[in-house]
Amino acid sequence: MEGSNITILIAFAAGLLSFLTPCVLPLVPGYISLISGVSVEHLKGEGSRSAARRAVIINSLAFNAGVSLIFVLLGATAGWVGNVLFSTPWVRIAGGLVIILFGLQMMGVLKVGALYRDTRKFSEDKPKGPFGAALLGVAFAAGWTPCIGPILGGIIGLAATSGGWKSGLVLSAFYAAGLAIPFLLTGLALNQFLGFYSQFRRHLHKVEVVSGVLLIVIGLMVASNSLTWVASVASRYLPNAEELVRQDEPAVPPAGNPTAPAAAQVPATNTLHGSAEPAPDVELKTTEGKPLRLADLRGRVVLLNFWATWCVPCRSEIPSLNAMERDLSGRGFTVLGVTTSDSAELVREYQQDVRQDYTVAVGGDEVASKYSVGVLPTTFIIDRAGRIRHRVIGEKSRAHFEALVNPLLDEQPEAAALKGE
């Protein structure tokens, strides 16, 4: 989910907590024996180890694939639906309150009978091979369990506010990984697991309490729409997942200095021309209350910067954006700052302390939703034909932005349109 490392970590931690819940952890050895066709005594080390290990690895991977398939489908669907629904504040607040109720359920404060019903239906016959193990995983995930139901429900709620089906898919995939990885490790080291469980069992209720607190925190973030704030603060201390993926891409020298040393080069973030999409033409208002649309800027290269007054890295970028607006405006370049969490009055007060020499506009939650903005700052580079050519997550230098903008400034509108097709 482009840059939102904090929500990815939350999802993975929720998966780990699901594994440690009282209605999953004690049953793990039995599940491993069931899906592998190897007895628990054999898994402990009695008998041939190589054949048993091979069966555990193959069938556990298949089982976890089946589990993950359901979770990922749920997350992607929630992200897709939430991208539409959660732009409405009252729907987002209601979703946050439901997640908080899940948290209270986990802590034992509430007793919701429906969440205690286990709907898993298994055949008494052992699954045959990896395909049977995968089907068992699907059945396990589709039925949920009394313990992981609230946690999974919280992650699905988080996915619904994540900015689209792709982000929901990534979140649910990390949740599934948090549940699947310890499951596989247990099959490979059952004796160590049993030793761990004998010591850890006394803490099972504490896991429920911690899980409940995590869900309440998630619910509060969803209801208050503060996920972007938390993610933006965390982005200053956590590595950007998107940048890690791009680390093998060729570097682009800073503008005006093609011989710059490698240490000063800026990694490219090009969107393939063939996949460039038109920028959503959302409705905005300037801080003076005048209507503004991106279509009004057609024919110019636009740096669309999503920011907020509370965003520390956003503030750090402003001097560079001011300088670019001043130096490149004559070549057909425009900086447009957009905030979806501040009022026009608050922005004007902010500008008394921090000067912004470019146009700043205010939009609603639906604007951030259409652009799938999860972390601030998020910047889009839009060509003269009105197509998104680059998406940049997090704070970046002027050299980085100019390496992306300058080639587009040299394009004519007709050429930009052709490259976007």
Side-chain angles (χ1 to χ4, degrees), residues 282-284 306 338 340 363-373:
V282 293
E283 295 183 1
L284 304 167
F306 283 88
V338 174
T340 61
D365 289 342
E366 68 279 0
V367 176
S369 178
K370 286 185 178 180
Y371 279 87
S372 298
V373 175

Side-chain angles (χ1 to χ4, degrees), residues 50-235:
S50 59
R53 182 179 293 270
R54 184 167 57 252
V56 167
I57 292 175
I58 294 174
N59 287 2
S60 291
L61 288 174
F63 175 83
N64 288 323
V67 171
S68 300
L69 175 64
I70 297 298
F71 291 165
V72 166
L73 289 176
L74 286 172
T77 302
W80 177 69
V81 173
N83 196 36
V84 177
L85 294 182
F86 276 78
S87 60
T88 304
W90 68 266
V91 175
R92 184 183 65 246
I93 293 171
L97 291 177
V98 170
I99 297 175
I100 292 173
L101 292 178
F102 282 158
L104 295 175
Q105 163 81 13
M106 285 293 301
M107 298 173 69
V109 177
L110 296 180
K111 299 290 184 182
V112 182
L115 294 177
Y116 281 97
R117 186 171 63 249
D118 191 346
T119 60
R120 292 169 296 164
K121 303 296 182 183
F122 299 141
S123 169
E124 294 183 357
D125 299 328
K126 290 185 177 181
K128 297 180 180 180
F131 181 72
L135 291 180
L136 184 63
V138 169
F140 175 89
W144 293 8
T145 64
C147 288
I148 73 169
I151 299 178
L152 181 58
I155 295 303
I156 289 175
L158 187 62
T161 63
S162 61
W165 70 268
K166 292 181 181 179
S167 297
L169 184 148
V170 172
L171 266 184
S172 54
F174 272 87
Y175 171 82
L179 180 62
I181 290 174
F183 192 97
L184 178 61
L185 294 178
T186 297
L188 300 178
L190 187 60
N191 282 325
Q192 290 84 343
F193 169 81
L194 294 175
F196 160 78
Y197 177 67
S198 66
Q199 298 295 322
F200 188 79
R201 61 194 304 175
R202 68 175 70 96
H203 302 298
L204 289 177
H205 180 63
K206 296 177 183 177
V207 172
E208 293 181 304
V209 173
V210 171
S211 302
V213 171
L214 177 64
L215 288 178
I216 291 173
V217 170
I218 292 174
L220 290 173
M221 289 195 298
V222 169
S224 63
N225 198 28
S226 59
L227 283 171
T228 55
W229 179 83
V230 174
S232 296
V233 173
S235 68

Side-chain angles (χ1 to χ4, degrees), residues 291-326:
L292 175 65
R293 305 189 72 100
L294 279 176
D296 300 335
L297 301 174
R298 189 68 58 84
R300 300 182 66 84
V301 174
V302 179
L303 187 151
L304 178 62
N305 179 254
F306 283 88
W307 72 289
T309 57
W310 43 259
C311 173
V312 176
C314 300
R315 184 181 181 124
S316 300
E317 282 187 336
I318 291 175
S320 295
L321 300 182
N322 285 338
M324 291 181 66
E325 174 74 14
R326 180 180 62 252

